[in-house]
């Protein structure tokens, strides 16, 4: 705790005390007050500047002369780049060749020399560690170092001051730096608060590691939440997290997509997929934890193309998009009647495909594929039921 408090003094005037936003819709779901800790509004767009600055500021003068090197797909890269610039230290950052262009440009904009190497973050880490050996630059690990954990732990201090009666804190877990730091701060001052880590289920190294009692590496990962897609917990963060948290839960891709759309629509917040993991867990099981609840929005750096894809996926997952195949008689006016009926039901038609060529359609019938915008699950069900009641053969192919 003393180390976290020292990090806070070090970070004063460097990082923002990010806002704590009330979340009325989530509070209604949970039956208790829900607050959003908005680290997506932090400098560089995520909490990473806290740990990065703390680590670099604590280097000796001799270490600073050799510069620093990091590896990241985005958030850590930007945090290290800005921290190094503020402290007058040369920074080199290795990023995967397919890293999102906005994140690459932002890292360069903060003053770091960016090297694009390899297909994955692990490839970039290998390149960065080799660079450190060759040049003497200090490798700034994204999570597995006490200074990094101490810097991230300052988020926990702010949570306790902004919501003094907090009962549950939900935090996204990748390598464990943020989760371990927040857990240390909260547990030291309010030992009764429930601390919950959240991972994407398709990149969840923590459950198996916690069960085994040691870090266990994943053989593969695939998730939209690239910011928390870490294949193995750190040795240092594992000890911290395993000793201090109450539980760890996982969320699927649909849940992450729905949470991102919710943050956009209801909280008016731009948050990346990894950053909404805590909200996704709360939306999946809103009555599971005691309130008041704080969900940490850990980052807001998202590629617009990824955002477009995730929003579309989230709308489908929430049944706001619906795709149907409907059989209608092959005679003039049938398609117009179908579209008129769909309009009367309050759906907006976004696309129509009309085909006579299908082995599954009898002679005298045609198949129409409709893409619709709906108002949610109940509206979707009403549309399908009405069309079936009117004698159409309906197959739901998307959003059902």
């Amino acid at each position: 705790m003393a180390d976290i408090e020292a990090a806070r003094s070090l970070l004063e005037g460097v990082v923002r005390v990010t806002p704590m936003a009330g979340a009325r819709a989530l509070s209604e779901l949970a039956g208790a007050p829900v607050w959003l800790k908005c680290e997506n509004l932090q400098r560089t767009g995520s909490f990473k500047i806290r740990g990065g600055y703390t680590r670099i500021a604590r280097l000796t003068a001799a270490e600073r002369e050799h510069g620093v090197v990091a590896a990241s797909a985005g958030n850590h890269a930007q945090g290290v780049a800005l921290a190094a610039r503020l402290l007058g230290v040369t920074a080199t950052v290795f990023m995967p060749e397919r890293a999102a262009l906005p994140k690459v440009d932002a890292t360069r904009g903060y003053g770091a020399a960016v090297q694009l190497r390899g297909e994955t973050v692990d490839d970039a880490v290998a390149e960065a560690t080799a660079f450190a050996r060759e040049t003497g630059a200090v490798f700034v690990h994204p999570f597995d170092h006490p200074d990094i954990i101490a810097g991230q732990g300052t988020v926990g201090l702010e949570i306790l001051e902004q919501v003094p009666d907090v009962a549950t804190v939900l935090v996204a877990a990748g390598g464990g730096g943020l989760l371990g730091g927040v857990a240390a701060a909260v547990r030291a001052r309010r030992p009764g608060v429930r601390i919950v880590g959240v991972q994407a289920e398709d990149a969840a190294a923590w459950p198996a590691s916690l069960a085994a009692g040691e870090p266990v590496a994943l053989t593969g990962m695939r998730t939209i939440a690239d910011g928390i897609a870490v294949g193995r917990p750190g040795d240092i963060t594992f000890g911290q997290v395993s000793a201090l948290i109450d539980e760890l839960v996982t969320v699927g891709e649909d849940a992450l997509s729905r949470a991102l759309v919710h943050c956009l629509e209801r909280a008016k917040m731009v948050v990346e997929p990894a950053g909404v993991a805590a909200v996704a867990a709360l939306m999946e099981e809103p009555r599971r934890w005691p309130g008041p609840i704080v969900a940490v929005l850990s980052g807001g750096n998202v590629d617009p193309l990824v955002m477009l894809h995730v929003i579309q996926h989230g709308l489908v997952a929430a049944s706001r998009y619906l795709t149907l195949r409907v059989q209608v008689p092959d005679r003039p006016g049938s398609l117009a009647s179908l579209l008129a009926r769909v309009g009367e039901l309050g759906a907006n038609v976004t696309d129509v495909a009309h085909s006579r060529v299908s082995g599954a359609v009898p002679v005298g019938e045609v198949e129409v594929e409709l893409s619709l915008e709906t108002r949610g699950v109940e509206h979707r069900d009403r549309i399908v039921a009405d069309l079936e009641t009117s004698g159409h053969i309906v197959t739901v192919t998307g959003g059902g």
Side-chain angles (χ1 to χ4, degrees):
M1 187 60 178
D3 202 17
I4 296 172
E5 290 173 337
R8 185 179 196 181
S9 297
L10 189 65
L11 292 168
E12 188 173 352
V14 175
V15 304
R16 298 182 179 127
V17 176
T18 51
M20 186 72 72
R24 186 178 66 181
L26 292 174
S27 298
E28 291 173 355
L29 274 177
V34 174
W35 298 87
L36 303 177
K37 177 58 173 168
C38 301
E39 282 297 292
N40 59 313
L41 301 180
Q42 184 55 264
R43 296 184 74 176
T44 74
S46 86
F47 68 94
K48 288 288 190 176
I49 180 66
R50 296 175 184 263
Y53 188 93
T54 302
R55 175 77 172 102
I56 299 172
R58 290 177 173 177
L59 296 178
T60 66
E63 288 172 325
R64 291 192 191 191
E65 286 182 4
H66 289 93
V68 297
V69 60
S72 168
N75 288 348
H76 180 59
Q78 293 172 69
V80 168
L82 178 57
R85 189 183 77 183
L86 294 173
L87 291 164
V89 178
T90 300
T92 302
V93 178
F94 287 83
M95 304 179 76
E97 292 177 0
R98 296 183 181 180
L101 185 59
K103 295 182 180 182
V104 174
D105 287 345
T107 304
R108 286 182 173 140
Y110 289 125
V114 175
Q115 301 287 336
L116 300 178
R117 304 286 175 82
E119 294 293 315
T120 66
V121 174
D122 289 339
D123 294 336
V125 168
E127 293 282 352
T129 52
F131 180 89
R133 287 193 301 269
E134 294 166 4
T135 65
V138 176
F139 178 59
V140 181
H141 200 283
F143 51 85
D144 206 33
H145 192 281
D147 292 340
I148 297 291
I149 299 170
Q152 320 305 29
T154 59
V155 175
L157 297 181
E158 292 177 17
I159 289 172
L160 293 175
E161 292 165 1
Q162 292 170 316
V163 187
D165 59 344
V166 60
T168 302
V169 179
L170 298 169
V171 186
L178 177 62
L179 178 57
V182 169
V186 173
R187 190 67 75 213
R189 289 192 176 175
R190 290 281 309 281
V193 174
R194 190 159 191 82
I195 302 166
V196 182
V198 186
Q199 279 208 293
E201 65 183 26
D202 292 333
W206 278 100
S209 297
L210 292 170
E214 61 182 3
V216 175
L218 296 175
T219 57
M221 298 178 291
R222 186 176 181 84
T223 177
I224 57 174
D226 60 340
I228 53 174
V230 176
R232 181 186 183 276
D235 294 325
I236 297 171
T237 55
F238 179 81
Q240 190 87 7
V241 169
S242 61
L244 295 176
I245 72 168
D246 293 287
E247 63 179 311
L248 191 135
V249 299
T250 62
V251 291
E253 302 297 284
D254 283 356
L256 290 166
S257 299
R258 285 193 296 268
L260 187 145
V261 172
H262 178 92
C263 285
L264 278 173
E265 287 190 327
R266 305 303 299 272
K268 314 307 177 189
M269 291 284 181
V270 175
V271 191
E272 63 190 274
V276 298
V279 174
L282 184 59
M283 290 176 67
E284 288 288 274
E285 297 184 87
R287 303 290 174 132
R288 178 168 175 168
W289 298 288
I293 300 167
V294 171
V296 179
L297 304 181
S298 56
N301 294 316
V302 57
D303 185 332
L305 293 176
V306 173
M307 175 71 84
L308 176 61
H309 170 73
V310 174
I311 289 173
Q312 290 173 334
H313 188 87
L315 291 174
V316 170
S319 295
R320 299 270 295 280
Y321 279 148
L322 178 63
T323 307
L324 304 172
R325 287 203 304 267
V326 184
Q327 289 185 28
V328 299
D330 186 12
R331 60 172 179 260
S334 293
L335 177 59
S337 296
L338 173 64
L339 296 177
R341 184 59 191 153
V342 168
E344 291 170 2
L345 292 168
N348 184 39
V349 179
T350 60
D351 193 28
V352 179
H354 182 275
S355 176
R356 290 187 173 89
V357 183
S358 174
V361 178
V363 175
E365 297 276 314
V366 296
E367 187 173 76
V368 178
E369 184 169 85
L370 300 177
S371 295
L372 312 174
E373 291 177 347
T374 71
R375 294 190 296 272
V377 176
E378 293 182 0
H379 189 206
R380 173 205 67 189
D381 292 344
R382 189 164 70 251
I383 292 167
V384 173
D386 185 279
L387 293 177
E388 289 178 336
T389 300
S390 62
H392 295 292
I393 298 174
V394 180
T395 303
V396 177
T397 58

